[in-house]
């Protein structure tokens, strides 16, 4: 049975799952869930994700939600296909997976939401919130700069989920006036230029409706 990914192209969580599927060179059906019509709160979608959030994935009899759980599932089940996204040495890998989700993502997502998403929803950007989060993100990126001065990728010498999970938010962030937080740090910038040049990411980014 075909893999089905339910979500929206402007949902970074959806894009994260899509990027993993593309790295694994897996065929999948993309099914748009239109938030503006409340499709994410209808019974048929709630059967896939009871929280009514994007994305959801169907793979045969398996149904999953939460984007990082989906990427880990894809990387594990289809380990023989495409790019190996889980390294043999797990210490750095597990650490930086957690750093992305707990230290990095809340800040960069908050900035992206304020600057890019709120205006699309007819809402006003809270610049005080942007500046506060930017200050915190700057401190986090200082840690990244030091780490990436000694490592080609987040988990060492290989591209893994620890890198991939960062990509949707950074892609949007570089379209904001705060992009210099990435571009001013040479090792972070070089890391991004490297991972964003991957064919799988180019394919993924082409589907983001910006």
């Amino acid at each position: 049975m075909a893999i089905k990914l339910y979500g929206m192209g402007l949902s970074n969580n959806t894009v994260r799952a899509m990027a993993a599927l593309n790295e694994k060179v897996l065929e999948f059906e993309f099914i748009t869930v239109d938030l503006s019509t409340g499709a994410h709160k209808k019974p048929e979608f709630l059967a896939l994700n009871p929280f009514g959030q994007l994305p959801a994935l169907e793979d045969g009899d398996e149904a999953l939600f939460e984007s990082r759980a989906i990427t880990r599932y894809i990387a594990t089940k289809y380990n023989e296909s495409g790019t190996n996204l889980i390294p043999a040495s797990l210490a750095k890998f597990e650490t930086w997976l957690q750093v992305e989700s707990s230290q990095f993502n809340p800040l960069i997502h908050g900035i992206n939401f304020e600057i890019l998403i709120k205006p699309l929803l007819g809402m006003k950007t809270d610049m005080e919130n942007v500046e506060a989060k930017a200050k915190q993100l700057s401190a986090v990126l200082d840690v990244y700069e030091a780490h990436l001065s000694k490592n080609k990728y987040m988990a060492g010498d290989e591209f893994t989920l620890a890198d991939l999970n960062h990509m949707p938010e950074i892609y949007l962030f570089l379209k904001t006036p705060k992009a210099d937080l990435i571009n001013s740090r040479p090792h972070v910038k070089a890391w991004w230029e490297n991972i964003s040049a991957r064919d799988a990411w180019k394919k993924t980014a082409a589907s983001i409706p910006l």
Side-chain angles (χ1 to χ4, degrees):
M1 296 178 68
I3 298 172
K4 297 179 181 180
L5 177 63
Y6 298 79
M8 288 186 74
L10 269 179
S11 157
N12 280 337
N13 290 330
T14 301
V15 172
R16 185 177 291 114
M18 187 183 299
L21 289 164
N22 286 334
E23 281 287 348
K24 284 298 184 180
V25 198
L26 298 172
E27 295 293 327
F28 63 95
E29 180 184 357
F30 184 72
I31 300 169
T32 298
V33 180
D34 190 347
L35 300 184
S36 68
T37 65
H40 58 307
K41 299 299 183 182
K42 293 182 179 178
E44 53 268 32
F45 185 76
L46 292 174
L48 298 171
N49 185 341
F51 294 102
Q53 298 172 335
L54 305 182
L57 183 96
E58 279 189 305
D59 184 14
D61 293 332
E62 299 284 359
L64 297 89
F65 53 93
E66 296 293 341
S67 64
R68 291 169 185 81
I70 290 171
T71 61
R72 188 66 173 255
Y73 168 84
I74 292 164
T76 302
K77 179 173 179 180
Y78 297 99
N79 63 306
E80 298 297 326
S81 179
T83 306
N84 178 27
L85 295 174
I86 301 178
S89 178
L90 294 176
K92 283 183 183 176
F93 174 70
E94 297 291 358
T95 298
W96 288 92
L97 279 179
Q98 186 63 32
V99 169
E100 183 277 326
S101 65
S102 62
Q103 303 288 340
F104 176 86
N105 190 75
L107 299 173
I108 197 168
H109 174 75
I111 295 169
N112 285 339
F113 181 76
E114 287 286 356
I115 295 176
L116 298 175
I117 305 303
K118 272 191 171 182
L120 295 177
L121 301 176
M123 301 167 67
K124 184 179 179 181
T125 296
D126 182 344
M127 287 308 300
E128 286 189 11
N129 189 31
V130 169
E131 294 302 329
K133 282 185 166 56
K135 183 177 181 180
Q136 293 174 283
L137 181 61
S138 181
V140 170
L141 288 172
D142 285 342
V143 175
Y144 276 55
E145 179 69 9
H147 178 68
L148 289 166
S149 72
K150 301 173 184 176
N151 297 273
K152 184 176 182 180
Y153 299 103
M154 284 296 167
D157 295 329
E158 304 169 62
F159 177 85
T160 69
L161 287 183
D163 305 289
L164 182 147
N165 284 352
H166 287 81
M167 296 179 75
E169 293 290 353
I170 295 177
Y171 179 78
L172 288 189
F173 185 76
L174 289 172
K175 300 181 184 303
T176 76
K178 293 298 180 181
D180 199 50
L181 290 177
I182 298 287
N183 292 328
S184 66
R185 292 169 168 84
H187 293 99
V188 176
K189 182 180 180 181
W191 165 71
W192 171 253
E193 289 176 347
N194 179 15
I195 63 176
S196 62
R198 299 176 67 83
D199 288 342
W201 177 253
K202 290 179 182 178
K203 180 179 180 179
T204 303
S207 68
I208 301 173
L210 287 177

